[in-house]
Structures are given as C-alpha cells and as structure tokens.
C-alpha cells in the first residue's frame, strides 16, 4: 500500500524565461491550451493533450534546461507530507501556499530528483 494517495492530476513544471512566449510556443507547436497566467506568482498553466496532465511554466531569469519537476496532486497536503516525512522522505523547506490557489511542497527521491506535492485550493 502506498504511503500517500495521489489524485489523478499531474502537473509537469518547467522553468522558462518568458511564460507568455512559451505558452504561445506550446500552443502553436504542440496544441496545448492556455488555462491561465498567474502573473503575481510568475506562473502559467497549459492543458496538454493528455487528460489530467498540465504543463506549468515558472518564469526564471536563468532557467536550467532539464529541470522538469513532476507535481503530484493530493487531497490534503499536510497529511501527505507528514506521511512521507514519517518514512524519511526529505523535503525542501516548508509547504508554500498561495491563498485561494494552491499549496505546494518540494521533496526528493533517493537520487535527489525534485518532485512536488500540490493541493488545489480553488
């Protein structure tokens, strides 16, 4: 039995220099649909052609290629985080919340690959 129960939602988060230009590129080249730009958070989301899989575009001054972070949806981030921490999973800082939007927590696998949990607060 798994330590946490994930929802069917998956966001693949990428760092990009210009979210708006990247959103246009993904729409034109791959047929993704813009869900929203959250300018105050430096974040945009695109619906991919795969159900329940979203591409998140995080704006960075110097994005690092190959920095894809899978973001797994959970119903209760506090419970999921506590269960993983009880199993010795390492997290990177506290859970971050954008009120009315999302709570996220970054954690690492045994090879130090970054992964993230997210609870939708909308």
């Amino acid at each position: 039995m798994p330590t946490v129960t994930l929802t069917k939602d998956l966001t693949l988060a990428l760092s990009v220099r210009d979210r708006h230009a990247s959103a246009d590129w993904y729409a034109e080249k791959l047929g993704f649909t813009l869900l929203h730009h959250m300018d105050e958070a430096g974040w945009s989301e695109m619906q991919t052609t795969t159900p329940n899989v979203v591409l998140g575009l995080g704006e960075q001054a110097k994005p690092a290629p190959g920095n894809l972070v899978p973001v797994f949806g959970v119903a209760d981030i506090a419970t999921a985080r506590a269960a993983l921490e009880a199993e010795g999973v390492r997290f990177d800082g506290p859970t971050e919340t954008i009120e009315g939007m999302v709570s996220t927590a970054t954690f690492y696998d045994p090879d130090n690959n970054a992964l993230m949990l997210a609870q939708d607060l909308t």
Side-chain angles (χ1 to χ4, degrees):
M1 180 159 191
T3 301
V4 296
T5 301
L6 303 176
T7 65
K8 293 183 180 187
D9 300 315
L10 176 65
T11 300
L12 303 174
L14 285 177
S15 295
V16 297
R17 283 186 304 267
D18 182 332
R19 293 175 296 108
H20 294 271
S22 291
D24 290 343
W25 188 91
Y26 280 99
E28 180 182 315
K29 306 297 186 212
L30 300 179
F32 294 178
T33 304
L34 178 67
L35 295 172
H36 50 258
H37 289 298
M38 291 182 266
D39 293 330
E40 66 280 2
W43 181 257
S44 298
E45 290 184 345
M46 308 282 301
Q47 177 59 57
T48 70
T49 56
T50 304
N52 298 342
V53 178
V54 170
L55 180 67
L57 304 171
E59 203 159 78
Q60 302 289 322
K62 292 186 179 184
N67 64 353
L68 182 73
V69 178
V71 183
F72 299 98
V74 293
D76 183 331
I77 198 164
T79 300
R81 180 179 179 142
L84 289 170
E85 287 178 323
E87 298 272 330
V89 174
R90 182 173 64 90
F91 278 77
D92 183 17
T95 298
E96 296 183 15
T97 299
I98 300 173
E99 292 301 326
M101 284 187 186
V102 68
S103 286
T104 61
T106 301
F107 65 103
Y108 299 94
D109 74 3
D111 294 305
N112 217 30
N113 292 303
L115 305 163
M116 191 176 284
L117 298 176
Q119 179 182 344
D120 186 346
L121 302 176
T122 59

